[in-house]
Amino acid sequence: MLVVGSVNVTSGVKEDRMMITGMHTVSDIFCVGCGSIVGWKYEAAHEKSQRYKEGKFILERYKVSGPDGSHYFVTHDAHVGGSDVDDV
């Protein structure tokens, strides 16, 4: 879900990631209540055609509403920084 603004989240460290649509500078966004990663923010697009994404947020539906769409997914393992890739 592409969102223009988001509340109750904090941004992590900016990093370059290769996405399906090309290279982007992004930062993970974390729930201020539990510290879980709930998505990411597009900080910069390296391709001109993707610049419309800059400053927008991606909220991962599964991490916000839970697997069946009706429950808020909470993890009690707070993340300080980094990304899902770092945890692998």
Side-chain angles (χ1 to χ4, degrees):
M1 172 185 318
L2 186 63
V3 180
V4 174
S6 194
V7 296
N8 296 329
V9 296
T10 58
S11 294
V13 178
K14 293 179 186 179
E15 63 183 24
D16 288 336
R17 287 191 199 152
M18 179 56 75
M19 306 249 187
I20 293 172
T21 56
M23 184 66 74
H24 293 82
T25 302
V26 299
S27 59
D28 287 329
I29 53 174
F30 302 87
C31 171
V32 296
C34 68
S36 296
I37 295 175
V38 293
W40 66 90
K41 178 182 179 183
Y42 284 105
E43 302 288 351
H46 295 245
E47 295 180 26
K48 187 177 181 179
S49 66
Q50 298 297 309
R51 295 224 169 116
Y52 71 94
K53 295 178 181 177
E54 292 178 349
K56 296 192 172 66
F57 297 80
I58 297 292
L59 295 174
E60 296 184 68
R61 186 180 313 232
Y62 179 83
K63 293 186 176 185
V64 175
S65 64
D68 65 356
S70 64
H71 296 88
Y72 180 75
F73 179 74
V74 176
T75 177
H76 296 286
D77 300 328
H79 294 277
V80 176
S83 67
D84 292 336
V85 177
D86 295 336
D87 296 335
V88 175

